[in-house]
Amino acid sequence: MKTTISLIVCGVAFVLYCSSCQKNSDTKPTSTTSSTKKVMVTLQPGGEFIVDQSARKVNGSISAKTIRDSAYYSVEIWNGSTKYALGIFDNPDSIHFLLDPAYTYKIRLVVLQKGTGPGLFYDLYQWGSLYGNTQDDGKPLFNYPIGGILQNHMDYTPNIPNYAYGFGENGTDYQTYTSDSTNEIVTQSLGEATTYAGDVQGYTVDTTHPSITIPMRRLVFGIKYICPQLTQGRLVITFGWPNYLPGKVLYPNTIDNNLSIYSAVGFLTADTLVMDDGIYNISASIKWELPDGRTYNIGSSTTALPTPDRNHLLNVNITLPVLDSSATSGNSTLSLKYSTTSWSTNTPIRF
């Protein structure tokens, strides 16, 4: 009997001991490391960017998107002065990333579209195995100054690839295809593309609503050439120092539909382009070339166009000299006339 009582007492003690251990285990504080606190955040562009603007129309109908016709979304995130994450996307619905509610972040979004230009130059990445990222091989690689692979996911510190710079870090000095779509690269300080940009600073995750909309600002101006007298030959427009824009060649059957949209990083903080030295004249040379070989310079050899404003279309009205069979090449003394049209900030620019 004594043996039985002893066994019961020991059993009760054992149960109480196990219960105590379980209680201590249940009340142990949860881990406070940042990795267990991170929240998945989604991002959407807002402000002056409308998703419909990413569609490209040809002859009035929406065409299938190619790599060149797509809109690209570059997301960069900083924790203090340290870059925390970076990613390049062509699908805005796939933009999401992990943030720790214990920290505040700066988040920048840049959206770039082909616009009226020949498209961003890209190569196919082939060095993934060298960096241990074989899954990246064959993906579009946008070289400097864009510098990044179209992956549709974020890379985080310390695994941000050393070739990834991110859109916008070097202004809008993008590398584009030449007009004939060869592999030669044209780099312009005022790239012929459509760019939007925006950022949010001091962002802290709301765990009950982990979503953020970044207000975007359209960083463009446009130029359109008007010349009803152009019935023969062609107009050749080239640009010189200090702002080299891609040149244009206009024919009688193309001039009515011409529109050139340029991006300028200066529009991030201003509505009129002003450089540090105060010079932002766009020097244009406009030449009329006739089929018989005669040429005429319209205006002066380097005509300064008016300083462009953000979301404004500059209309360049060109008057050609009256010619007869005895006229030879020379300079036209007729001056150019200009007018501007304002695009509202939420109006899609159709081209």
Side-chain angles (χ1 to χ4, degrees):
M1 184 68 179
K2 290 182 180 180
T3 302
T4 302
I5 294 174
S6 298
L7 289 173
I8 293 173
V9 172
C10 289
V12 171
F14 179 77
V15 170
L16 292 174
Y17 174 80
C18 291
S19 175
S20 175
C21 290
Q22 180 65 40
K23 182 177 180 180
N24 289 338
S25 176
D26 290 344
T27 58
K28 182 179 179 180
T30 58
S31 174
T32 58
T33 60
S34 60
S35 60
T36 63
K37 295 169 125 184
K38 289 180 180 176
V39 177
M40 185 67 73
V41 180
T42 60
L43 181 150
Q44 288 291 329
E48 297 178 4
F49 181 81
I50 300 174
V51 175
D52 179 60
Q53 291 171 320
S54 63
R56 181 171 174 83
K57 290 190 175 183
V58 177
N59 296 326
S61 61
I62 297 178
S63 63
K65 287 184 178 181
T66 64
I67 292 179
R68 283 204 234 174
D69 286 334
S70 297
Y72 298 102
Y73 305 78
S74 172
V75 181
E76 292 181 89
I77 304 174
W78 290 265
N79 183 349
S81 60
T82 301
K83 185 173 291 186
Y84 167 76
L86 180 147
I88 297 178
F89 304 77
D90 63 359
N91 177 11
D93 294 333
S94 65
I95 302 176
H96 48 76
F97 39 82
L98 291 168
L99 297 181
D100 190 331
Y103 298 98
T104 59
Y105 299 88
K106 173 184 175 182
I107 304 173
R108 180 174 65 189
L109 172 65
V110 178
V111 181
L112 185 69
Q113 298 172 311
K114 172 182 175 180
T116 59
L120 294 176
F121 182 83
Y122 68 90
D123 203 345
L124 296 180
Y125 187 67
Q126 54 184 319
W127 303 284
S129 57
L130 182 64
Y131 293 96
N133 302 310
T134 56
Q135 73 278 3
D136 292 335
D137 285 340
K139 293 182 178 179
L141 168 66
F142 297 97
N143 294 302
Y144 180 88
I146 295 172
I149 299 174
L150 177 60
Q151 299 172 299
N152 279 304
H153 69 76
M154 299 293 288
D155 286 315
Y156 299 87
T157 302
N159 297 318
I160 297 176
N162 60 3
Y163 48 77
Y165 308 106
F167 282 120
E169 287 194 9
N170 297 277
T172 50
D173 192 14
Y174 302 128
Q175 296 184 28
T176 64
Y177 281 96
T178 53
S179 58
D180 58 3
S181 295
T182 66
N183 284 336
E184 295 180 19
I185 301 173
V186 178
T187 302
Q188 304 291 349
S189 58
L190 298 175
E192 190 174 0
T194 304
T195 305
Y196 300 78
D199 64 59
V200 171
Q201 302 191 36
Y203 175 74
T204 301
V205 181
D206 180 355
T207 56
T208 63
H209 184 66
S211 177
I212 181 173
T213 298
I214 293 186
M216 306 298 286
R217 183 176 171 91
R218 188 162 57 192
L219 314 180
V220 305
F221 68 93
I223 299 179
K224 183 176 177 61
Y225 304 93
I226 302 169
C227 185
Q229 293 174 293
L230 184 64
T231 58
Q232 60 176 320
R234 64 181 190 174
L235 289 175
V236 179
I237 296 99
T238 56
F239 299 91
W241 185 90
N243 301 294
Y244 296 93
L245 279 66
K248 291 290 176 182
V249 179
L250 306 174
Y251 296 89
N253 64 334
T254 64
I255 189 169
D256 288 343
N257 296 320
N258 83 89
L259 172 63
S260 300
I261 301 174
Y262 302 100
S263 292
V265 72
F267 288 142
L268 274 171
T269 56
D271 286 324
T272 299
L273 288 180
V274 178
M275 295 180 70
D276 292 339
D277 56 6
I279 300 175
Y280 225 111
N281 291 330
I282 297 176
S283 298
S285 173
I286 303 176
K287 185 176 292 186
W288 182 28
E289 297 180 349
L290 293 167
D292 59 11
R294 288 178 294 171
T295 61
Y296 285 84
N297 294 319
I298 308 301
S300 65
S301 58
T302 55
T303 299
L305 303 183
T307 300
D309 291 328
R310 189 177 77 90
N311 278 329
H312 277 67
L313 173 66
L314 175 64
N315 300 292
V316 181
N317 297 276
I318 302 170
T319 302
L320 299 179
V322 178
L323 304 179
D324 56 38
S325 58
S326 62
T328 59
S329 299
N331 295 323
S332 168
T333 58
L334 299 175
S335 62
L336 301 172
K337 294 182 179 180
Y338 308 102
S339 62
T340 58
T341 302
S342 176
W343 288 311
S344 65
T345 57
N346 58 356
T347 299
I349 301 174
R350 300 301 183 189
F351 51 89

